[in-house]
Amino acid sequence: MGLPALEFSECCLDSPQFRERLRSHEAELEKTNKFIKELIKDGKSLIAALKNLSSAKRKFADSLNEFKFRCIGDAETDDEICIAKSLQEFATVLRNLEDERMRMIENASEVLITPLEKFRKEQIGAAKDAKKKYDKETEKYCGVLEKHLNLSSKKKESQLQEADSQVDLVRQHFYEVSLEYVFKVQEVQERKMFEFVEPLLAFLQGLFTFYHHGYELAKDFSDFKTELTISIQNTRNRFEGTRSEVESLMKKMKENPHEHKNISPYTMEGYLYVQEKRHFGTSWVKHYCTYQRESKRITMVPFDQKSGGKGGEDEAVILKSCTRRKTDSIEKRFCFDVEAVDRPGVITMQALSEEDRRLWMEAMDGREPVYNSNKDNQSEGTAQLDNIGFSIIKKCIHAVETRGINEQGLYRIVGVNSRVQKLLSILMDPKTATETETEICAEWEIKTITSALKTYLRMLPGPLMMYQFQRSFIKAAKLENQESRVSEIHSLVHRLPEKNRQMLHLLMNHLAKVADNHKQNLMTVANLGVVFGPTLLRPQEETVAAIMDIKFQNIVIEILIENHEKIFNTVPETLPSNSQLLLSRKKSTDSKPPSCSERPLTLFHTAQPNEKQENRNSIINSSLESVISSNMNSFLNSNSAPQSNLNTSDLELEVIKPNRPNSLPQNPSPTSPLSPSWPMFSAPSSPMPTSSTSSDSSPISTPSAAICIQQERSFQTSCLSRAMGTSWAPLVPHVQPWGSGWSIQHL
């Protein structure tokens, strides 16, 4: 029900009905006044709250911007880089949003609070002043009227006329004030319809502008949000795979910690208690000690694990001798004495256990250092990169591409182990392995076939992409530029031996076809990288750091799949020369003990009955002939190939160190039973594997026989050297720790 209209004509009558209608208007104005007053108060509270919210969000954004992710490892994947910079992106969005909020807050005071206060003061306040004036004139008029009506009729006529005129004057003034008051009341009632609502509309428009700005920010943020979502999912998937690997390594460490120690630059390191003499007696101080056998340098760092801090200055001495301390000579257990060249007196040390003391003693008295033999945790069967191996892989690939290319979870879902082993035994049977017409029967499930393919690759003596290139591939994946990654991996692939590269090419072509059908089989390039990365590029040493690099192994496989046509069908722009390859190989071997295949071929002379010399010399002749002929064949084959392929043929003599006992006498005689006497030969390494002649080799009975062989082969070797541009010295006398011998060395 609306308010009744106030007629100006009723102002003169001033009837009870008029007064009733006027009071309803006055009550409405009072209600409006209180409402506006509360609204202004709430509006100010809202603005203050928005300011506090903006301040809190800015502080939150600053915290996000200041935090920096630090990932495990020396490099980050693209996904990790995206996740790391996400916090800064979040902070930027929040700051941008809060800048717009502050503009809205500043405008809110002008468009909402100020107009409402002005309307309340100027309009409603004016109406209140008019009411006061109206009430005052009403009271005055009524008083004058009552006084006038109480005049006696016996008064003089002039006095009565003067009283009448005065009453008329007061009535006229009351009438004018009443008209003005009614006009003002109705004006305020009409003005509030726009002057009160318009500021609220302007405030809401500011809110809408703020929210629209947020919508625009969300649109701009959409692309990064999509990229970040994918990166988070990829990182989560890698974490699940890495977590299982780390957990498996942790369990192995729990079962046998000594077999999983890292290869260290020190011969021996660990905690020892060192006896120190004090004024009040002797004390045992815990030190972290390291020992290098080559320099005989012992470094002792006082360190308290409980406080986590060093307890003094480091000390280094040069070892002179080490003696086990007898149990009855000291109260402590597991003790040994160390004498230093540059420090007087004896240093008494206490190991943590009897086994720990034994290891320290073996290291310090010049025995062989104790390192963890880097065993490959995969099965070393008879799998080889030969005709049988290629036949098995081709059969598996053909079966997958013809029968199961669209099967979901291809290569990720594993088959039953017993079935996989049975299939492998059939495929690896020499009688049927080379029969290319024979296909894998349809009775074998696709998951069994894919598991057999992966298992065969793991059964190879080493990973398909080779241990020696593992770190190089990982470093290539860590490059910042994608083009640089592809280029470096392209070059590394062409440094692989020919058989390895052919098998890798075959496999990548197949995986590219699998990835092309990812909508059906759900195996994207990233998923295939997760499956095949640890198989094709596994590290030689199983450590947490190596497990953290699994994500980069996966990236290498992804690059190979996505760029397989360029990598395998084109020659890289820059191939390393033979000298560069030899230099890089030398650097890689300088940081670790030489392996058996990196030591020079040694021919040991032993005293044998004279009647067996001719047979052995003839066997040696045939062995050397096979070595030289294989080198010549490799060289001729490389000459027929394009010039760029010559760089991948490192014609270098690989030698397998003869097996010998762990401990040898200082200078055994040539006839000592501990002196090794059976050398082993292998053909020079090249992209095309050649047959080893190690099984046909025999020892040379005397130095003179070796000299005869050297003279007899000098011409052939000289011709081969000139043809290859490489110098070879067939037989060079040298001195080994166990005696003198003869070796073939590469100059």
Side-chain angles (χ1 to χ4, degrees):
M1 190 71 181
L3 293 173
L6 297 176
E7 297 294 340
F8 291 121
S9 59
E10 294 182 355
C11 292
C12 185
L13 295 176
D14 197 13
S15 64
Q17 293 80 9
F18 171 75
R19 285 284 179 169
E20 185 68 27
R21 289 193 291 270
L22 186 60
R23 277 195 297 271
S24 65
H25 279 265
E26 290 173 350
E28 179 64 22
L29 283 179
E30 184 63 25
K31 181 181 176 182
T32 302
N33 181 53
K34 290 182 178 179
F35 176 71
I36 293 176
K37 184 178 179 180
E38 290 294 326
L39 191 64
I40 291 173
K41 180 181 177 181
D42 294 340
K44 290 181 177 180
S45 299
L46 174 61
I47 291 174
L50 289 175
K51 288 182 178 179
N52 292 334
L53 174 63
S54 180
S55 176
K57 283 194 172 182
R58 285 183 182 277
K59 186 176 180 181
F60 179 71
D62 292 340
S63 299
L64 289 178
N65 190 56
E66 291 173 1
F67 184 79
K68 305 294 182 183
F69 277 108
R70 295 191 66 185
C71 300
I72 299 176
D74 56 354
E76 298 175 344
T77 63
D78 292 341
D79 294 329
E80 290 172 340
I81 293 173
C82 179
I83 293 174
K85 73 176 183 180
S86 64
L87 298 186
Q88 284 69 41
E89 291 289 336
F90 296 159
T92 302
V93 171
L94 289 175
R95 285 173 176 170
N96 199 329
L97 196 62
E98 293 314 306
D99 289 341
E100 185 64 26
R101 190 192 301 276
M102 286 305 299
R103 285 191 287 270
M104 180 195 71
I105 292 172
E106 291 171 358
N107 292 333
S109 297
E110 298 177 5
V111 302
L112 178 64
I113 304 300
T114 302
L116 289 178
E117 288 180 338
K118 182 179 179 181
F119 176 76
R120 181 169 173 265
K121 180 180 180 181
E122 294 181 359
Q123 301 301 325
I124 297 179
K128 284 185 176 183
D129 293 340
K131 182 180 185 308
K132 290 179 181 179
K133 186 177 180 181
Y134 175 71
D135 291 340
K136 183 178 180 181
E137 290 299 326
T138 299
E139 185 178 354
K140 180 180 179 181
Y141 170 68
C142 291
V144 170
L145 184 61
E146 289 177 0
K147 184 178 180 182
H148 177 67
L149 293 177
N150 290 330
L151 287 177
S152 175
S153 59
K154 296 179 180 181
K155 293 279 186 181
K156 292 181 179 181
E157 186 65 25
S158 59
Q159 292 178 343
L160 292 175
Q161 289 180 354
E162 183 180 356
D164 289 342
S165 61
Q166 186 178 2
V167 170
D168 290 339
L169 189 64
V170 172
R171 182 185 295 114
Q172 181 64 31
H173 188 261
F174 168 71
Y175 179 64
E176 291 176 357
V177 171
S178 177
L179 288 175
E180 291 176 358
Y181 178 54
V182 169
F183 174 77
K184 190 63 179 177
V185 167
Q186 294 194 116
E187 179 187 18
V188 173
Q189 294 290 4
E190 293 299 322
R191 275 180 176 274
K192 76 177 183 180
M193 301 299 292
F194 56 90
E195 288 194 3
F196 169 55
V197 176
E198 190 175 26
L200 296 175
L201 177 62
F203 176 71
L204 287 178
Q205 183 62 37
L207 279 178
F208 295 151
T209 302
F210 168 72
Y211 290 128
H212 181 72
H213 183 73
Y215 171 73
E216 293 295 331
L217 283 178
K219 285 176 61 178
D220 296 340
F221 189 71
S222 178
D223 293 338
F224 179 77
K225 183 182 73 173
T226 303
E227 180 185 359
L228 180 61
T229 302
I230 296 173
S231 297
I232 291 173
Q233 186 60 42
N234 291 340
T235 305
R236 179 181 285 109
N237 293 338
R238 292 192 183 108
F239 164 76
E240 294 297 334
T242 304
R243 184 179 182 275
S244 60
E245 295 286 340
V246 174
E247 188 175 6
S248 175
L249 177 59
M250 180 186 68
K251 290 179 180 178
K252 292 179 182 178
M253 292 289 291
K254 285 181 178 179
E255 294 171 0
N256 198 345
H258 294 291
E259 289 200 6
H260 292 82
K261 290 183 178 178
N262 290 339
I263 292 183
S264 169
Y266 302 107
T267 308
M268 187 66 185
E269 59 182 324
Y271 282 100
L272 292 172
Y273 284 87
V274 180
Q275 187 182 47
E276 294 184 359
K277 294 182 180 181
R278 303 290 174 87
H279 296 292
F280 51 84
T282 59
S283 63
W284 295 84
V285 181
K286 196 173 188 178
H287 289 68
Y288 190 81
C289 302
T290 59
Y291 174 69
Q292 284 184 320
R293 181 171 177 266
E294 293 78 8
S295 61
K296 293 187 175 296
R297 181 183 179 87
I298 305 174
T299 303
M300 297 177 288
V301 180
F303 188 82
D304 185 7
Q305 292 168 286
K306 292 184 290 185
S307 64
K310 294 174 63 175
E313 297 296 327
D314 300 357
E315 182 180 4
V317 297
I318 304 300
L319 177 67
K320 181 179 179 182
S321 65
C322 177
T323 308
R324 185 186 301 273
R325 191 70 178 262
K326 293 183 179 181
T327 306
D328 55 359
S329 65
I330 192 170
E331 295 180 356
K332 298 284 187 178
R333 304 169 63 196
F334 321 131
C335 294
F336 57 94
D337 292 337
V338 171
E339 290 186 78
V341 175
D342 49 351
R343 173 175 167 173
V346 175
I347 306 173
T348 301
M349 297 180 173
Q350 182 186 24
L352 304 182
S353 64
E354 184 62 39
E355 176 66 15
D356 191 36
R357 178 170 68 172
R358 183 185 66 80
L359 295 176
W360 279 102
M361 293 291 295
E362 286 185 358
M364 289 187 178
D365 68 4
R367 297 182 184 177
E368 288 288 335
V370 180
Y371 288 114
N372 173 38
S373 57
N374 294 319
K375 296 179 180 178
D376 191 349
N377 60 353
Q378 304 295 348
S379 172
E380 290 192 5
T382 58
Q384 298 292 337
L385 292 179
D386 51 11
N387 292 335
I388 294 178
F390 275 86
S391 174
I392 292 172
I393 299 300
K394 288 178 181 178
K395 288 178 181 178
C396 292
I397 289 176
H398 181 264
V400 171
E401 292 181 353
T402 55
R403 293 198 283 122
I405 193 73
N406 293 326
E407 188 164 319
Q408 288 190 1
L410 191 65
Y411 285 107
R412 174 163 284 190
I413 299 176
V414 298
V416 180
N417 186 54
S418 59
R419 296 275 296 167
V420 173
Q421 296 300 328
K422 184 177 180 181
L423 176 59
L424 276 176
S425 64
I426 295 173
L427 293 176
M428 295 174 67
D429 187 357
K431 297 179 181 178
T432 59
T434 56
E435 297 178 6
T436 55
E437 298 81 5
T438 305
E439 296 182 359
I440 299 177
C441 300
E443 66 180 75
W444 296 99
E445 295 178 301
I446 293 298
K447 64 181 181 180
T448 304
I449 297 173
T450 55
S451 295
L453 184 147
K454 292 187 293 182
T455 303
Y456 189 85
L457 292 174
R458 287 194 291 265
M459 288 170 61
L460 293 171
L464 189 61
M465 299 172 72
M466 302 187 70
Y467 288 131
Q468 67 189 82
F469 295 113
Q470 196 263 352
R471 293 305 307 165
S472 299
F473 278 111
I474 295 298
K475 289 180 180 178
K478 292 179 180 179
L479 296 176
E480 295 183 1
N481 188 296
Q482 178 69 9
E483 184 178 348
S484 301
R485 297 178 192 170
V486 176
S487 176
E488 184 65 20
I489 291 175
H490 189 184
S491 177
L492 288 170
V493 166
H494 282 263
R495 290 172 60 183
L496 293 173
E498 185 68 23
K499 290 292 185 182
N500 296 60
R501 190 165 68 251
Q502 288 176 0
M503 179 65 79
L504 192 61
H505 186 188
L506 179 67
L507 189 61
M508 292 303 114
N509 281 340
H510 168 62
L511 295 183
K513 294 178 183 178
V514 173
D516 289 340
N517 294 270
H518 69 274
K519 292 184 178 179
Q520 292 79 25
N521 57 39
L522 306 182
M523 294 303 292
T524 60
V525 173
N527 291 339
L528 291 172
V530 171
V531 173
F532 280 91
T535 298
L536 302 180
L537 203 59
R538 64 182 182 270
Q540 190 171 7
E541 182 184 6
E542 189 176 15
T543 62
V544 173
I547 292 175
M548 292 297 107
D549 280 341
I550 287 178
K551 54 194 175 187
F552 295 105
Q553 299 174 13
N554 304 343
I555 292 175
V556 172
I557 303 304
E558 293 175 24
I559 292 174
L560 288 174
I561 296 174
E562 292 174 341
N563 303 273
H564 69 282
E565 292 185 357
K566 173 185 176 181
I567 290 176
F568 293 100
N569 297 332
T570 62
V571 179
E573 296 179 0
T574 57
L575 273 175
S577 62
N578 283 341
S579 59
Q580 291 174 329
L581 291 179
L582 290 174
L583 181 60
S584 63
R585 195 165 298 172
K586 180 179 184 302
K587 290 181 178 179
S588 66
T589 56
D590 286 345
S591 60
K592 61 180 181 179
S595 64
C596 294
S597 62
E598 294 166 344
R599 291 175 180 147
L601 175 63
T602 303
L603 306 179
F604 299 97
H605 57 84
T606 57
Q608 300 291 345
N610 293 330
E611 60 269 17
K612 296 182 181 180
Q613 290 183 9
E614 291 185 3
N615 292 334
R616 287 186 177 137
N617 289 340
S618 63
I619 294 174
I620 288 298
N621 290 340
S622 62
S623 299
L624 289 176
E625 285 175 356
S626 63
V627 171
I628 295 172
S629 61
S630 63
N631 280 330
M632 184 62 74
N633 290 335
S634 176
F635 167 72
L636 293 176
N637 291 335
S638 63
N639 275 344
S640 62
Q643 185 65 25
S644 59
N645 291 336
L646 289 176
N647 291 333
T648 62
S649 300
D650 268 349
L651 297 177
E652 170 185 317
L653 194 60
E654 294 182 356
V655 184
I656 300 175
K657 182 179 175 181
N659 296 325
R660 53 192 172 96
N662 292 332
S663 60
L664 294 172
Q666 292 297 326
N667 292 300
S669 65
T671 58
S672 171
L674 296 178
S675 178
S677 59
W678 290 93
M680 299 174 69
F681 293 79
S682 66
S685 62
S686 66
M688 293 292 293
T690 57
S691 60
S692 172
T693 61
S694 60
S695 60
D696 298 332
S697 63
S698 301
I700 295 177
S701 58
T702 62
S704 59
I707 294 173
C708 293
I709 294 174
Q710 189 235 357
Q711 292 174 346
E712 195 172 337
R713 296 289 176 252
S714 60
F715 176 74
Q716 293 178 351
T717 307
S718 176
C719 294
L720 178 62
S721 301
R722 284 195 296 271
M724 294 187 295
T726 309
S727 299
W728 295 78
L731 290 172
V732 178
H734 66 94
V735 179
Q736 299 287 358
W738 50 80
S740 60
W742 297 83
S743 67
I744 297 178
Q745 296 192 4
H746 178 211
L747 302 182

